[in-house]
């Protein structure tokens, strides 16, 4: 059995291999440890190994962990799951980032509920393969959503996130990532401060990094399989 510290080390090695391959700097890609369904003790192990960025999918579970680990105040918590209006208050009060903004109503609510003292970093989730069952705005809706988010004082637009369609060949996946990168560059032209293109998970991190990702979200690779 590998420890979480060993798995983290392997993940950083894979990341470095992928960035080297396309001549990008290793530190141009961040690694978000997705700890959903895993116990607080696993997060502590990753923390003790030096890791600071964690992602959670479920509001209640995430908030409980954030409260339990309150003393580890340099953890950066990312909410990456589907977000309903009635849970927006908890997210606005406890998380540092929300990666799953997909409608104006949620952006407005988070803005109203967020303390004006510390902006909430947000990514717009893009439904890059136009799947009827998947959350996210369509590519052609990104600019309008970005303008909306950028107008809100307590939110800081940081970029885009996507979960591409699962059943794709490497070629199709690459095409999805490249279209995301293209949208990201278009957006960066309008909002020069954005810096985050969140794409790539355990199964496709290499390909995502080779095609422009600046943040990979790894669950299984770090914490092992989920039951
Ligand atoms: C669960 C999840 C991940 C991590 O998935 P793995 O395949 O275990 O790396 C990444 N992003 C989102 C949005 C997730 O829900």
């Amino acid at each position: 059995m590998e420890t979480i510290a060993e798995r983290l080390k392997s993940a950083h090695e894979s990341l470095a291999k992928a960035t080297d391959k396309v001549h990008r700097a290793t530190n141009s890609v961040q690694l978000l440890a997705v700890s959903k369904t895993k116990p607080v003790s696993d997060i502590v192990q990753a923390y003790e190994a030096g890791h600071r960025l964690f992602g959670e999918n479920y509001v209640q579970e995430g908030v409980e962990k954030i409260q339990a680990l309150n003393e580890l105040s340099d953890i950066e918590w990312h909410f990456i799951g589907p977000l309903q209006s009635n849970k927006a208050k908890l997210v606005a009060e406890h998380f540092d980032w929300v990666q799953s903004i997909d409608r104006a109503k949620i952006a407005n609510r988070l803005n109203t509920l967020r303390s004006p003292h510390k902006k909430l970093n947000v990514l717009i989730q893009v439904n890059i393969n136009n799947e009827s069952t998947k959350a996210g705005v369509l590519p052609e809706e990104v600019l309008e959503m970005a303008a909306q988010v950028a107008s809100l004082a307590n939110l800081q637009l940081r970029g885009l996130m996507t979960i591409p369609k699962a059943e794709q060949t490497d070629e199709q996946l690459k095409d999805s990532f490249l279209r995301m990168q293209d949208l990201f560059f278009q957006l960066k032209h309008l909002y020069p401060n954005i810096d985050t293109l969140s794409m790539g998970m355990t199964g496709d991190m290499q390909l995502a990094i080779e095609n422009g990702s600046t943040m990979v979200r790894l669950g299984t690779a770090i914490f092992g399989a989920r039951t």
Side-chain angles (χ1 to χ4, degrees):
M1 270 291 278
E2 269 187 311
T3 64
I4 287 171
E6 285 164 348
R7 287 207 180 101
L8 263 171
K9 190 163 170 273
S10 304
H12 279 288
E13 284 164 8
S14 304
L15 190 156
K17 207 171 138 200
T19 49
D20 283 356
K21 187 172 167 192
V22 290
H23 310 291
R24 293 179 60 190
T26 309
N27 67 5
S28 66
V29 182
Q30 286 186 298
L31 198 164
L32 181 73
V34 177
S35 43
K36 64 180 177 206
T37 79
K38 298 294 178 180
V40 164
S41 56
D42 281 11
I43 299 175
V44 171
Q45 282 184 48
Y47 183 89
E48 285 172 351
H51 201 74
R52 294 294 180 269
L53 269 57
F54 293 90
E56 288 285 338
N57 280 61
Y58 310 105
V59 176
Q60 205 65 44
E61 179 192 337
V63 169
E64 280 169 22
K65 290 174 180 171
I66 292 169
Q67 286 172 333
L69 297 171
N70 192 29
E71 281 171 22
L72 309 183
S73 59
D74 56 348
I75 289 185
E76 191 175 272
W77 292 101
H78 291 234
F79 186 75
I80 63 174
L83 181 50
Q84 281 135 22
S85 283
N86 61 347
K87 300 277 176 64
K89 186 166 192 284
L90 282 170
V91 170
E93 287 175 350
H94 295 282
F95 281 85
D96 303 299
W97 288 62
V98 175
Q99 298 204 2
S100 45
I101 298 287
D102 62 356
R103 52 204 194 279
K105 188 182 163 197
I106 270 294
N108 291 336
R109 259 189 89 67
L110 289 169
N111 181 63
T112 304
L113 297 164
R114 182 70 174 184
S115 153
H117 302 297
K118 190 163 182 260
K119 289 190 184 205
L120 180 65
N121 297 294
V122 303
L123 303 180
I124 296 168
Q125 183 172 351
V126 183
N127 183 358
I128 192 64
N129 299 110
N130 204 343
E131 295 172 273
S132 59
T133 55
K134 197 160 271 174
V137 303
L138 295 175
E140 59 268 28
E141 297 166 340
V142 166
L143 293 184
E144 192 185 333
M145 186 64 64
Q148 174 66 23
V149 169
S151 75
L152 300 171
N154 302 327
L155 304 189
Q156 183 69 51
L157 180 63
R158 297 293 294 267
L160 303 175
M161 180 271 244
T162 197
I163 310 168
K165 190 174 168 192
E167 320 75 29
Q168 296 198 93
T169 64
D170 277 7
E171 273 313 303
Q172 289 167 328
L173 207 46
K174 180 177 173 183
D175 175 72
S176 302
F177 289 143
L178 285 175
R179 285 188 294 114
M180 282 300 300
Q181 190 187 41
D182 196 55
L183 280 172
F184 179 68
F185 287 151
Q186 278 182 49
L187 203 60
K188 197 166 168 59
H189 191 71
L190 294 169
Y191 306 95
N193 290 330
I194 70 166
D195 54 9
T196 305
L197 178 54
S198 170
M199 58 188 194
M201 316 200 319
T202 295
D204 58 10
M205 72 173 282
Q206 221 89 24
L207 203 58
I209 292 170
E210 286 169 30
N211 295 287
S213 171
T214 74
M215 184 183 288
V216 288
R217 308 177 306 267
L218 303 185
T220 311
I222 293 169
F223 297 109
R226 289 177 297 274
T227 45

